[in-house]
Structures are given as C-alpha cells and as structure tokens.
Amino acid sequence: MSKHLIVIGGGAAGFFCAVNAARLNPLLKVTILEKSSKLLSKVKVSGGGRCNVTHHCFDIVEMSKHYPRGQHFVRKAFHQFFTTDTIRWFEERGVKVKSEKDGRMFPVTDSSDTIINCLLREADKYNVEIKLNTEVKNVNYTNEKFHLEIADSRQITGDYLCIAAGGYPKSSMFEWIRKLGHTIEEPVPSLFTFNLPGHSITKLMGVSVERTIVKIIGSKLSEEGPLLITHWGFSGPVVLRLSAWGARELATRNWQFTVLINWLGEYSEERVREKFQRFRFDLATQKIINRNPFGLPQRLWEFLLDETGVNAETRWADLPSKEQNRLVKNLCTYECAVKGKTTFKEEFVTAGGINLKETDPNTMMSKKVPNLFFAGEVMDVDGITGGFNFQHAWTSGFIAGKNISSL
Ligand SMILES: Cc1cc2nc3c(=O)[nH]c(=O)nc-3n(C[C@H](O)[C@H](O)[C@H](O)COP(=O)(O)OP(=O)(O)OC[C@H]3O[C@@H](n4cnc5c(N)ncnc54)[C@H](O)[C@@H]3O)c2cc1C
C-alpha cells in the first residue's frame, strides 16, 4: 500500500516539499491542504508582484548572516539545498532568474506568475492532490498515523505530515501545533517601518538619504544604509533591517523608542567639526542655505538649518559657534521619537514559531513526533528583506520533501 504524505499549507514551503517528495518517490501519495481558496498567495504579491525568489549570494556563512533568527539552523540546512540549487531547480524547469544590483533575484519575466505556474505544473506532473478551503484545526498522532480534523468536520489520515502553515501573528493560533508537543517562540512582527505621528520631518516625505547610520537609544541596535522619509515616518533598508534585528526588543517596548540618526553616515561628529572649520574659510562669503557642502538632499538641509535655528541667510564665515555645534549635533545625532510601526506591505514576515531545537535541520523532522516535518515560516526562522525568506522556504521544503520521499 502506498504511503500518504499530507502537507498543511499551499505556500512556497508547502509546495516545494510536496512537489519534490512526489517527484522523488512516485509511489508516495501527496496531498496539499490549504485553508484559503488560493494557492501561493504570498508568492503572487511578493517583490511587488515580481517574486524575489532568492538572493545573489553563494557563500553559506555570508548568506546565513541575513537571518536575525535561525542563523545556525539555516547554515546547516543550506549545505543540502542552497541558492545555487534554487536557481538550478527553477532553470531546469524553464524559469530563468536574474539578479539586480542589490542582490535580489527575480524571474527574468519580472512576474511572480512564472514561479506560480512552474510550481503548479510540477504539482500536476507528479499528481499532487490539492484541497482548497481545507483548514486543519487539530492533529492527533496515534498508531503511527496522523489524524487531521478539518474545520468542516472532515477527517483526513496520513502517514507523514509536513506542517508548512506559514507565520501566525498570534500565539494562540499555534495551539494545534503546541498540542503535538512543540514549543512555540512568541510571534512578533518583523520588517516594519517606523511611525512618527505629527513629526515635522514627515513633511519631507519622498526624501531619501543614501548613507545614514541609525541607532536605537538604550540598545545595541545600529544599522547603516539608505533611509527614506515617508508621510508617516521612516522607511528604507536601514529601518527594515533595524526592525528585523530588533523585532523582539522593539516589541517589548511596544514600538516606542528613540532613534539617533547620523545623516552623514560616512562622517563621524569629529570629522564633521573639522569640515566645518574648512567651510568657514573655503565658503566664507556664501550663504549657508545655498551651499550644502555634504550633498544632502536640499530639502533636508533646509529642514535641519531650520530645526537648529540657523538663519538661512547667514554666511559660512559668520556662523556663530553655538549654532555650529547644534547643527553638527543635528547632522550626526538627530534624535527622533518613534511611536508605533507600520507593516511593510512589500515584504512582511513574522518572527517566532516552532522552536528550532525541536527540529533537525538536516531532515526538517520533528524531534518530538516521528514522521512529522516542518517547512518555511512556521519555524522560528526569518530573514531580512532581499529574498532570504523565500530561500528558507525552498531549502526547508526541499529537505523535508527529500527525506520523506526516502522513508
Ligand atoms: C506582501 C509580502 C511580500 C513578500 N515578499 C517577499 C520577497 O519578495 N522575498 C522573500 O524572500 N520573501 C518575501 N515575503 C516573505 C515570504 O512570502 C514568506 O516568508 C514565505 O511566503 C513563507 O512561505 P511559507 O510557505 O512558509 O508560508 P506562507 O506563504 O504563509 O504559506 C502558508 C500557507 O498555509 C496556509 N495555512 C495556514 N494555516 C493552515 C491550516 N491550519 N490549514 C490549512 N492551511 C493553512 C495559509 O493559508 C498559507 O497559504 C513576502 C511576504 C509578504 C507578506
């Protein structure tokens, strides 16, 4: 009698587990259960509809540094299925990928439908059964079988189970997995932007500064990179990275904290002071508003002069030293109180999920229940933006599928 693998979740990780298990073991019956009426819905919207499938990084240690949670776990798993394998897997199925300057990789068609169609074709080719509108409410493991209770009172039984249900925003939603004996790390949002309600800087919306350093006061969190001012606060790579690395710490502070911004990321306060001495001579007769010697966006320069109380008509040579000191402070340690967060619609993930000590990274099998596997975001692994989350979904899905196929 053929064995039956049930995969819970029709997302990237669930599909990758299902199609690879079915392909590698034609005797295996494979079923995907998806609670919603849509398959691969996050793949569809990801990367602005282009699907940022992976990252142009071919060094395992380097790649693993982009995961605020699960760094060691993914490092082990990447030895079995890495970025190079993702690229080859899709290329072998007619999907070419390309990389962009920042390392993000997309299908050359720039359409997530290319990835979706490839996975659907593969599922069809290997007879993967798909059941939509099928929400698993509870799982019992008895007599070496998994008995699944479905929301509409149906029961489905299988020999192997792969839970690829994605991240849940609330701890209570993991209850059915806890009942299987697993520990859940509290879910908290990662990859969000910072709100500055009513702050005057938001009138500069649309301004972006290439090289900033942003620190969070009272923590070790500090990141470098482009910062974007939006109509509600701060966004851009530097903010998203802080939100990912600080996901837990910032949640405990209820997303109320203060940031210090160095708008001139490449210069320390001391260097900026030295530069000011030079400008007093070199630009002596020029009006400070007209000469923005650091190449900052003009609107930001004018804003900082205003915040500092410097008369924009002042000539460089006449800048009073007290005002100069205040201006240097605002350029290098601009303080801003953050009050809340906004979901980053482009790429949002949940930190938290199944405790990694309870899963073997070499097989994705549970250490608590035999023949139970996990894949994707349901585990306590999450990456920063740039294709890292999908890579984890492909890696863990593949490893689970491959191991189930050989049981
Ligand atoms: C808008 C957006 C854009 C993104 N863009 C990118 C990107 O460009 N690059 C990147 O690397 N990452 C991106 N991400 C993150 C990435 O999409 C996720 O990390 C990845 O999709 C996780 O895959 P998964 O299969 O583990 O979970 P999911 O894709 O969340 O799939 C889980 C599936 O399980 C189903 N399910 C849940 N519970 C049950 C149940 N009890 N019974 C049955 N079915 C269930 C859900 O309905 C869902 O379809 C983005 C995320 C979002 C929200």
Side-chain angles (χ1 to χ4, degrees), residues 233-246:
F234 292 139
S235 182
V238 69
V239 167
L240 293 169
R241 280 203 290 271
L242 280 171
S243 79
W245 289 101

Side-chain angles (χ1 to χ4, degrees), residues 9 12-13 34-35 42 46-47 52 136 165 168 345-346 377 387 390:
E34 168 53 51
K35 73 173 175 189
K42 281 195 191 165
S46 67
N52 174 200
V136 176
Y168 289 136
K345 307 271 184 327
E346 284 286 303
E377 213 182 302
F390 275 134

Side-chain angles (χ1 to χ4, degrees), residues 242-348:
L242 280 171
S243 79
W245 289 101
R248 274 204 189 282
E249 192 169 342
L250 301 181
T252 60
R253 295 201 203 178
N254 203 20
W255 303 285
Q256 314 279 324
F257 51 91
T258 303
V259 290
L260 277 186
I261 304 171
N262 182 345
W263 298 104
L264 308 170
E266 71 242 74
Y267 299 114
S268 64
E269 202 168 315
E270 207 182 319
R271 279 289 312 283
V272 174
R273 275 184 208 291
E274 285 164 22
K275 288 242 166 217
F276 264 78
Q277 295 316 320
R278 283 245 317 279
F279 298 152
R280 280 178 176 282
F281 288 101
D282 297 353
L283 310 172
T285 58
Q286 304 200 30
K287 285 184 191 166
I288 206 157
I289 192 167
N290 294 337
R291 279 312 298 259
N292 154 15
F294 295 103
L296 282 176
Q298 183 65 16
R299 283 166 69 202
L300 177 63
W301 178 244
E302 288 173 19
F303 173 84
L304 291 173
L305 291 178
D306 193 44
E307 284 272 292
T308 310
V310 173
N311 180 345
E313 299 298 309
T314 312
R315 297 177 323 145
W316 271 97
D318 302 334
L319 181 66
S321 63
K322 271 195 178 153
E323 289 182 14
Q324 173 181 308
N325 284 342
R326 286 206 305 269
L327 184 55
V328 172
K329 278 246 164 291
N330 275 337
L331 282 165
C332 298
T333 50
Y334 184 78
E335 210 173 299
C336 224
V338 174
K339 296 188 175 116
K341 58 164 177 30
T342 296
T343 303
F344 180 57
K345 307 271 184 327
E346 284 286 303
E347 188 178 339
F348 177 73

Side-chain angles (χ1 to χ4, degrees), residues 50-51 53 95-98 106-111 114-115:
R50 296 196 297 146
C51 189
V53 270
V95 179
K96 280 205 175 318
V97 294
K98 57 169 181 179
F106 297 90
V108 290
T109 55
D110 277 329
S111 165
T114 314
I115 301 293

Side-chain angles (χ1 to χ4, degrees), residues 10 33-41 130-135:
L33 307 181
E34 168 53 51
K35 73 173 175 189
S36 74
S37 58
K38 291 197 183 98
L39 296 167
L40 298 160
S41 52
I130 293 170
K131 289 183 194 275
L132 294 174
N133 304 308
T134 306
E135 180 178 1

